[in-house]
Amino acid sequence: MAGKKLTKNETDSRVAKCYEMRYNSDNKLGFKEWIQYCHKTYGDKSEQQYSAYWVSATTEYQEHWREKLSKQLDPAVNTLIELLADEDAKIRQRAVDQIMKYTGNDIQQIEAKIQGNVELSWGSELNEDRGI
């Protein structure tokens, strides 16, 4: 089923078709439907190759969103940098808080309900219990 080797344009065309059918159509296509479509429409490659087109379309989609997000974040980051130089301490603190959120270091308050007794030991108390 390997057949002849496709040109780059033919391969790119199949990846583009997969991208279109997965992300741009009203009736989104799943993986199994894509494989069936390829067998019916092309019928010249293995399922492994059709799966490779699927993966390439996914990579293109992720790159598209990464680029779009980067274009949107750059102005926001520049604004935050400007706010870090503000004279008002509250504004500077809010800018720092936003930067922490963007980097995934957001401080979260965690509520824990503890039932029973909690025993804590530090330093020498702990060493004495262990016989050290």
Side-chain angles (χ1 to χ4, degrees), residues 8 28 35 41 92 107 130:
K8 181 170 178 6
K28 305 289 188 225
I35 299 297
T41 306
R92 286 194 311 267
I107 297 172
R130 290 185 180 169

Side-chain angles (χ1 to χ4, degrees), residues 6-131:
L6 298 178
T7 65
K8 181 170 178 6
N9 286 341
E10 290 171 322
T11 301
D12 289 347
S13 172
R14 291 183 183 191
V15 171
K17 184 66 174 175
C18 181
Y19 184 97
E20 177 187 328
M21 294 174 81
R22 287 180 67 187
Y23 302 112
N24 295 336
S25 72
D26 292 334
N27 189 11
K28 305 289 188 225
L29 193 71
F31 179 73
K32 289 181 181 180
E33 292 85 10
W34 168 250
I35 299 297
Q36 291 170 353
Y37 171 83
C38 288
H39 280 300
K40 181 179 166 189
T41 306
Y42 308 119
D44 59 350
K45 299 292 178 192
S46 66
E47 286 190 13
Q48 184 177 2
Q49 186 58 50
Y50 298 146
S51 297
Y53 301 150
W54 179 271
V55 171
S56 294
T58 301
T59 302
E60 283 187 23
Y61 181 78
Q62 290 170 341
E63 287 297 320
H64 167 75
W65 279 104
R66 192 173 293 121
E67 181 180 324
K68 190 173 185 174
L69 181 61
S70 178
K71 286 180 182 177
Q72 291 176 349
L73 283 179
D74 285 344
V77 169
N78 291 337
T79 301
L80 286 173
I81 291 170
E82 291 172 11
L83 292 174
L84 287 172
D86 197 278
E87 292 180 17
D88 188 345
K90 288 181 182 179
I91 292 176
R92 286 194 311 267
Q93 183 59 50
R94 287 187 180 158
V96 168
D97 293 344
Q98 291 301 312
I99 291 169
M100 296 298 283
K101 286 180 184 178
Y102 284 148
T103 59
N105 296 316
D106 188 21
I107 297 172
Q108 298 178 356
Q109 293 182 356
I110 300 172
E111 183 178 330
K113 184 175 182 180
I114 301 172
Q115 296 177 340
N117 295 328
V118 177
E119 294 182 28
L120 302 174
S121 300
W122 286 274
S124 61
E125 293 175 14
L126 183 61
N127 290 335
E128 290 172 7
D129 292 341
R130 290 185 180 169

